[in-house]
Amino acid sequence: MIKLAVYGKGGIGKSTCTSNLSAALASLGKKVIQIGCDPKADSTINLLHGDPVIPVMDYMRIHDEEPDKISQITKTGYGGVVCIETGGPTPGLGCAGRGIITTFSLLEQLELFETVKPDAVLYDVLGDVVCGGFAAPIREGYAEKVLIVTSGEKMALYAANNINTAVKNFEDRSYAKVRGIIMNRRNVENEEEKVRAFAERSGLDITADIPRSDDIIKYEDMGMTCVEGDPECETSKRFLDLARLLISEDEANG
């Protein structure tokens, strides 16, 4: 099974990348779960045509109890992707990272993976702060690989370096390892050179190069991923290529 965490600075496009990758995997016949681990709870919105799933933390606040069925906190999106959002605490109260830990514990109790039997699980994780909660996908055995989304912008690369360092801190514990970088272009000056220099310094591959494209905006305005909207456009082809790479690596590993 592909178990992948996608990290990146807030606003860098990691949710766009994750949802398009989920859509690409689904279009190639894989059963996919996508779990949004960001308090904004917008990771899966374009897989759901703009009709959001209730975040787990919101459900627990509204009902003052934990859900007893997976169906209460999931929705099925494009290509059969099972969509979940952790959500977060009431603004100004509580720790968002705790929301992730609470959600993961709940999903284990509800036997999510045994019920869905996925081929791939993707975690979309905020990477500005890699605290205990936000690090849960990489240190609790949920994810085996990490993809870091970055552009050539200074703060995006700064966050990417922090994420890479955080993951390396767990290397001796058989936790997730960084598979590589998704270069999500913003067309800043000398962008490719900056990202490639960072990748080389860090010993990482650039596993996908996503062009700055109006197609993404066009289809997100329509409430869908680029892969769904036009699988033949260049941006979609890049995500499909990445999906095929991950599938081939997973099959090679047995």
Side-chain angles (χ1 to χ4, degrees), residues 177-194:
K177 292 179 172 58
V178 178
R179 172 59 186 84
I181 294 169
I182 297 177
M183 178 162 56
N184 193 31
R185 291 179 181 260
R186 295 295 183 88
N187 293 347
V188 299
E189 187 176 0
N190 299 320
E191 183 161 38
E192 182 168 351
E193 291 86 346
K194 291 174 181 176

Side-chain angles (χ1 to χ4, degrees), residues 24-245:
L25 288 164
S27 71
L28 294 171
K30 300 301 180 182
K31 182 67 175 177
V32 183
I33 298 173
Q34 181 170 322
I35 302 177
C37 303
D38 189 318
K40 298 195 305 298
D42 59 357
S43 173
T44 59
I45 192 70
N46 291 316
L47 292 165
L48 294 167
H49 295 165
D51 183 22
V53 61
I54 184 170
V56 174
M57 299 304 290
D58 285 12
Y59 181 96
M60 293 170 67
R61 276 195 296 273
I62 292 168
H63 298 278
D64 199 27
E65 63 180 7
E66 294 182 349
D68 55 16
K69 297 178 182 177
I70 285 292
S71 59
Q72 294 170 307
I73 52 170
T74 63
K75 278 190 178 181
T76 301
Y78 169 75
V81 177
V82 176
C83 299
I84 300 169
E85 297 281 356
T86 66
T90 301
L93 301 173
C95 169
R98 289 297 306 173
I100 297 172
I101 294 171
T102 299
T103 296
F104 283 16
S105 176
L106 176 62
L107 295 178
E108 286 188 3
Q109 292 174 37
L110 295 176
E111 299 184 328
L112 170 69
F113 303 119
E114 293 84 353
T115 302
V116 177
K117 296 181 173 63
D119 301 303
V121 183
L122 276 62
Y123 302 90
D124 174 12
V125 195
L126 183 66
D128 291 85
V129 180
V130 193
C131 70
F134 289 105
I138 59 176
R139 65 177 174 81
E140 301 294 344
Y142 294 101
E144 294 177 349
K145 296 180 179 180
V146 173
L147 286 176
I148 302 173
V149 181
T150 188
S151 66
E153 295 162 301
K154 181 178 180 180
M155 293 311 296
L157 289 167
Y158 179 81
N161 184 64
N162 282 346
I163 294 161
N164 187 47
T165 300
V167 177
K168 283 190 173 182
N169 286 338
F170 298 120
E171 276 187 341
D172 61 344
R173 306 183 195 180
S174 300
Y175 291 159
K177 292 179 172 58
V178 178
R179 172 59 186 84
I181 294 169
I182 297 177
M183 178 162 56
N184 193 31
R185 291 179 181 260
R186 295 295 183 88
N187 293 347
V188 299
E189 187 176 0
N190 299 320
E191 183 161 38
E192 182 168 351
E193 291 86 346
K194 291 174 181 176
V195 175
R196 291 198 180 280
F198 167 72
E200 289 174 10
R201 287 196 307 273
S202 305
L204 300 175
D205 295 333
I206 296 178
T207 54
D209 181 350
I210 308 302
R212 182 75 168 174
S213 171
D214 291 338
D215 288 326
I216 290 177
I217 299 170
K218 172 184 175 181
Y219 291 111
E220 286 189 346
D221 284 346
M222 297 166 64
M224 65 178 71
T225 63
C226 195
V227 169
E228 178 184 2
D230 183 2
E232 295 301 319
C233 76
E234 184 59 33
T235 300
S236 296
K237 288 178 180 178
R238 302 286 179 95
F239 284 113
L240 286 161
D241 285 345
L242 176 56
R244 292 187 187 98
L245 173 64

